[in-house]
Structure formats: structure tokens, C-alpha cells
Amino acid sequence: MSSISGMEDDEFSSFFESSPTLKNKEEILSKLNRFIELNSSRQGGKRIVCVTSGGTTVPLEQRCVRYIDNFSSGNRGAASTENFVNAGYAVIFLYRRGTCQPYCRSLPDDPFLECFEFPDAKNIRVHASHSEAVKMAVMDQQAAIAEGRLLKLPFSTIYEYLQMLRLIATALKDVGPCSMFYLAAAVSDFYVPWTSMTEHKIQSGSGPLDISLAQVPKMLSVLRSNWAPKAFCISFKLETDSKILIEKATKALQKYKVHAVVANELLTRKEEVVVVSNSGNVVVRRDCDNPESIVEDNLIHLLVDRHSTYIKESHT
Ligand code: PAZ
């Protein structure tokens, strides 16, 4: 009989074997290795965090026209990335294409069209009302990338997400306890296996659509047990029913043996989260007296402290 982790490995092996090949795999790997090498050789520490952000899609056709999506604006991941960079971390930002980006919080929704003006046909300039926000966004993002503190890797589908997460975890293995996974992405629980998916666009002429969805293998188990067993691992639990939130987060903590689960409710997620861990539950709120404050400022502060303790304990 196979062990639990053996069964999980088998599930993942068949998931990956039947997944479409990751485009640009070699390019992603070389960017990753360069980034990790650069940050591992830094003096005074080599903390690297992988922040996942945005929702994964589940294609319904191989030449995809329609897909099922998971809700996430990417706000949490983007804001957390800025905070981690400020705290001295190097960040691998694994994000859903088209979702919020670090350093863009103060920009309007469509920065390109709303931030710029054309006084005449030959000139384009930033509108005075946005100039400070644009300057800060450009400077901060370019500095983080130029200093090798930020690597941005986009995904769209559940297939890309899981393959990329595995590449990152494997590449970070030698960073051990100094590496962190901050898994804020909203990941599909169900998917259509590639091999049973129709190639062409589903036709609407044949009446109602019946689709059968398979369960996505539980990535957290295999991340913790095989891919990155020494990394500090923070997962997220989103619920819409506040009555079950903490119970579900506590179960996830026990089942996946992550270091903390950040529990949040859809409607209040920007105001407060609860960090559920073996040392008790801590409510983290944004600072209401400061309109600029966001919940991620206090959340990342707490997690960085916990990570420091984890690194110290791992060395003793
Ligand atoms: O991306 P966002 O800022 O709109 O929302 C963040 C979030 C709710 C997706 C995140 O905090 C979260 O809970 N992610 C995990 C979702 C899940 O349980 O699958």
C-alpha cells in the first residue's frame, strides 16, 4: 500500500504528466536560478520569499475560448510584495497575468490612458495630478528590479501555476529555512484534465453543457513534504461565511502542517485577517487612524518576525 505522501506524489505525477508543457520553461528556470544565485550570495542574509497572487484559470477547451476563474484581484499579493522588499527580502512574485502589480496601488485603474496627456501631437507627459504617484511607482519598481530584489513571473492556468510553483520550490531548496512561501493566490480546487478536454471550442447547439471536474491534487501537502520541506510556509484561507472561517483555517493548519494560515473573509479582507498558528490566533487589522495604512503592513511585519524566529530555531 502506498503511504499518504506516496499517494500524493502519484496524484501529482499524473497531474503533471497529463499537463500541457510549460512554455518558456528553460527561460523561467534560468531567470530563477540567476535570481536565487544573486540573492544567496548577498552579505547579511539571503531571505527569499515566493509570493503567489491572483486566481488560476481552468480552461474548458484546449484551444481555450472559455474558462472557469477563481476570484482574486491580486491586491494582497502586490501590496505584500512591496512590504517584503521593504523588509529586505528578495521576492519571486508569481502572479496571474493582468492582476494588480507591486507599486501600482496609487495609480488610477487604467494608468496608461488616465495618467498621461498630450499637449500637442509630438509630446506626451504625465498629468500633474498623477505625477507624484507615477514617479514613485516607476522609481520603486525599477529600483527593486535593478537591485535584483524582485522577479515577476506570470501565469494564467492552473497547469502553469502548479508547474511554476514546483520549479520555484525546487530551485529554492538550498535556501532552506531562509526561504518563505506566501501563498495568497486563489487556486482552483477543480479542473478539467487536459486529456479529457475537447480540443476545439465547445458548440452551443447541442443544448445544456455537462462538464465533469476532477479534483486538483492538494499542492500544500506535497509542497511541505517534498518540494520545500525546510521553507517557512504561509497559506491562506478565504471564506464567505465567517462562522466557518477559523475552523477551516485551523483544519488546514493541522492537515498541511504549514507554519501559519492567514484566514480572511471576502467582504472584510482589506480590513482584517486572522493569523492562525500553533502559537494561537492573532487578529491583524489595518491602522484605522491612518487612511494610507493597509492590512498587509502589519501582516508582513508579524510574519517577518515569525520567520526570524523560525530561522533562529532551525540553526539551533
Ligand atoms: O487578491 P485579493 O487582494 O483580491 O484577495 C486576496 C485573497 C482573498 C485572494 C487572499 O487573501 C486569499 O485568501 N487567498 C487564498 C484563497 C483561497 O482560499 O483559495
Side-chain angles (χ1 to χ4, degrees):
M1 212 173 97
S2 15
S3 64
I4 302 249
S5 105
M7 275 162 25
E8 280 153 2
D9 285 353
D10 293 348
E11 269 185 297
F12 259 101
S13 305
S14 48
F15 177 87
F16 284 130
E17 270 158 28
S18 63
S19 295
T21 329
L22 184 61
K23 285 190 202 116
N24 313 330
K25 182 177 168 188
E26 292 312 317
E27 191 190 327
I28 295 171
L29 256 179
S30 90
K31 279 185 187 168
L32 254 178
N33 288 333
R34 242 181 296 135
F35 186 80
I36 294 170
E37 207 178 295
L38 170 73
N39 283 292
S40 302
S41 59
R42 269 185 215 282
Q43 266 197 331
K46 47 168 182 178
R47 292 195 195 185
I48 306 178
V49 59
C50 171
V51 173
T52 71
S53 185
T56 58
T57 65
V58 165
L60 298 184
E61 300 122 342
Q62 289 184 349
R63 301 190 188 200
C64 181
V65 175
R66 301 187 183 91
Y67 56 84
I68 302 173
D69 209 347
N70 255 54
F71 164 80
S72 168
S73 65
N75 242 305
R76 171 91 77 224
S80 303
T81 293
E82 295 172 30
N83 275 280
F84 277 120
V85 170
N86 288 342
Y89 281 69
V91 182
I92 299 166
F93 181 59
L94 180 62
Y95 71 98
R96 161 77 178 278
R97 261 185 204 91
T99 55
C100 296
Q101 294 296 296
Y103 307 110
C104 294
R105 249 182 299 150
S106 311
L107 301 180
D109 282 347
D110 193 339
F112 190 70
L113 295 177
E114 290 166 53
C115 284
F116 298 98
E117 58 182 1
F118 288 91
D120 56 62
K122 283 197 185 139
N123 290 300
I124 177 171
R125 67 177 181 220
V126 178
H127 207 286
S129 56
H130 294 305
S131 68
E132 195 54 29
V134 171
K135 193 174 86 189
M136 293 313 292
V138 173
M139 275 174 35
D140 290 347
Q141 126 115 3
Q142 289 192 359
I145 290 180
E147 286 164 19
R149 292 278 182 197
L150 178 58
L151 174 66
K152 301 208 282 185
L153 298 174
F155 67 84
S156 294
T157 68
I158 180 73
Y159 296 111
E160 289 170 334
Y161 174 80
L162 287 175
Q163 291 184 72
M164 289 169 83
L165 188 64
R166 182 175 62 164
L167 282 184
I168 295 168
T170 313
L172 278 174
K173 221 166 193 166
D174 289 343
V175 184
C178 291
S179 62
M180 187 198 298
F181 285 82
Y182 178 89
L183 303 165
V187 181
S188 326
D189 286 319
F190 304 101
Y191 77 118
V192 183
W194 191 253
T195 41
S196 55
M197 196 186 293
T198 163
E199 180 185 351
H200 291 286
K201 184 183 166 204
I202 298 168
Q203 296 299 307
S204 60
S206 31
L209 177 62
D210 257 337
I211 34 173
S212 169
L213 300 176
Q215 198 150 21
V216 173
K218 293 294 178 201
M219 165 273 291
L220 270 178
S221 299
V222 81
L223 177 84
R224 286 288 298 127
S225 58
N226 288 7
W227 297 352
K230 292 191 177 146
F232 190 63
C233 187
I234 308 300
S235 72
F236 280 72
K237 174 61 74 186
L238 172 68
E239 291 295 343
T240 52
D241 179 355
S242 58
K243 291 196 282 303
I244 61 168
L245 178 62
I246 299 303
E247 184 194 326
K248 294 286 295 268
T250 310
K251 277 193 180 147
L253 179 79
Q254 288 156 357
K255 182 165 179 193
Y256 301 115
K257 300 189 171 42
V258 289
H259 299 95
V261 178
V262 180
N264 55 170
E265 202 195 317
L266 186 66
L267 290 179
T268 56
R269 70 189 192 286
K270 291 191 176 172
E271 300 303 315
E272 69 167 50
V273 298
V274 182
V275 177
V276 174
S277 73
N278 287 332
S279 55
N281 300 349
V282 180
V283 180
V284 178
R285 293 197 176 87
R286 88 180 177 83
D287 180 358
C288 298
D289 301 331
N290 173 4
E292 305 272 287
S293 154
I294 52 173
V295 73
E296 288 78 8
D297 296 339
N298 295 332
L299 175 62
I300 303 310
H301 194 84
L302 178 97
L303 294 177
V304 167
D305 271 0
R306 298 261 178 111
H307 190 201
S308 302
T309 310
Y310 176 74
I311 294 171
K312 263 190 223 133
E313 285 173 359
S314 309
H315 292 317
T316 51

